[in-house]
Amino acid sequence: MPVTNSLVRIQQQLIAINNAVLLNRKTIIEFRQTSNKELLVQIRKQLRIINRRVLINQHTIGTKLVLSGKKFDKNALRRIQNQLRTIQQNVLINQRMVGRLLACKKYNNETKKSLKRIHNQLRTISKNVLLSQRIVDNLMQPPPVSCPAGHTCLSVRLIDGLGLDLDVDPSEPSIKITVRIFGASVLSGTISLRNPTLSLGGEFGLFLLELTLRGEFGDIAHGHFRLVLGGRACIGPPIDILRTCTDFNQIIYDK
């Protein structure tokens, strides 16, 4: 698909997502006015659809723009960023509305339980939209690629769109690990003599990451350091038949 068509497709996806968020707000207002419990089921269904659309859009941005390795018109990227920002603002408004409903004393425990699930759904959507914003930010202004003097730096690809940046400081010895989703940094941690084992992971949009990194120190006087990586990386929505996973356990640094 040509880059121009991809940009148009992404913008159309975002228009549909924002319209769905506004429709969701309308249903929340209707529940506030009527206390019709059937509307809570409708709201949750709307939010599941919205989150699925956000993840599809995030995957489109990542695969059609980031992984293509091409240059893009910054004005088009800015329009996409503004659309994402508008969606994020509208999701937060919906979230605050549900938060106020949760604070009302007139609802019973069953209704509050449903409202709490809705609030969590909105929080998840907000988190996923924010990740999409960071991916587009990274496209508009990629961070400078540099390695501190005396350090060794390398990148490890776990699965398309998901990778690690490693920054090894032999003088400690220590190693900083940064998790990247379509180029955007989402998580980091450091293994050193004081902390020889590190677990990183979580749900990041379409990705699931479970990592255990173990540092093994040999001849410290000569800075010998080995990093053993184990874990699991997945891409796809949180449904078993739609999610592709890879398990790994390997030495990724030995020097």
Side-chain angles (χ1 to χ4, degrees), residues 48-241:
R48 282 195 296 271
I49 293 169
I50 289 168
N51 193 50
R52 187 158 59 242
R53 288 180 175 180
V54 168
L55 293 177
I56 289 169
N57 173 259
Q58 188 180 99
H59 189 254
T60 306
I61 291 171
T63 55
K64 301 301 181 185
L65 302 187
V66 179
L67 297 184
S68 73
K70 296 177 181 177
K71 299 270 186 186
F72 309 98
D73 175 36
K74 285 203 172 182
N75 288 328
L77 292 176
R78 198 169 288 113
R79 284 193 293 272
I80 289 171
Q81 188 65 290
N82 287 338
Q83 286 179 282
L84 286 164
R85 191 174 293 114
T86 297
I87 291 168
Q88 176 76 329
Q89 289 169 348
N90 284 327
V91 169
L92 291 175
I93 289 170
N94 292 12
Q95 192 175 334
R96 284 194 293 270
M97 289 174 65
V98 174
R100 285 194 289 269
L101 291 174
L102 272 169
C104 289
K105 295 181 179 179
K106 68 176 183 177
Y107 300 117
N108 61 28
N109 288 337
E110 183 186 351
T111 300
K112 286 200 171 186
K113 194 173 180 181
S114 292
L115 287 170
K116 182 67 175 174
R117 284 197 289 263
I118 289 167
H119 196 265
N120 289 340
Q121 283 180 283
L122 284 162
R123 186 184 294 117
T124 298
I125 292 167
S126 174
K127 187 169 66 174
N128 289 335
V129 173
L130 184 60
L131 176 55
S132 296
Q133 284 182 268
R134 291 174 66 184
I135 292 169
V136 176
D137 274 342
N138 199 64
L139 267 174
M140 292 176 68
Q141 190 165 358
V145 179
S146 62
C147 189
H151 290 213
T152 301
C153 301
L154 63 152
S155 297
V156 179
R157 185 179 70 83
L158 302 176
I159 199 168
D160 280 347
L162 175 63
L164 305 177
D165 284 349
L166 309 178
D167 178 352
V168 182
D169 180 0
S171 65
E172 286 280 336
S174 69
I175 182 165
K176 181 180 179 182
I177 302 100
T178 302
V179 180
R180 292 193 180 276
I181 302 291
F182 291 123
S185 169
V186 295
L187 197 64
S188 66
T190 302
I191 287 180
S192 67
L193 280 171
R194 295 177 297 278
N195 179 26
T197 304
L198 179 68
S199 295
L200 290 174
E203 291 268 2
F204 307 102
L206 275 173
F207 294 92
L208 169 71
L209 179 63
E210 298 167 353
L211 277 183
T212 300
L213 300 108
R214 186 175 72 256
E216 297 180 351
F217 302 93
D219 184 354
I220 295 174
H222 294 90
H224 181 240
F225 182 88
R226 184 167 74 169
L227 182 67
V228 182
L229 171 68
R232 189 170 182 241
C234 303
I235 183 171
I239 302 169
D240 286 345
I241 60 172

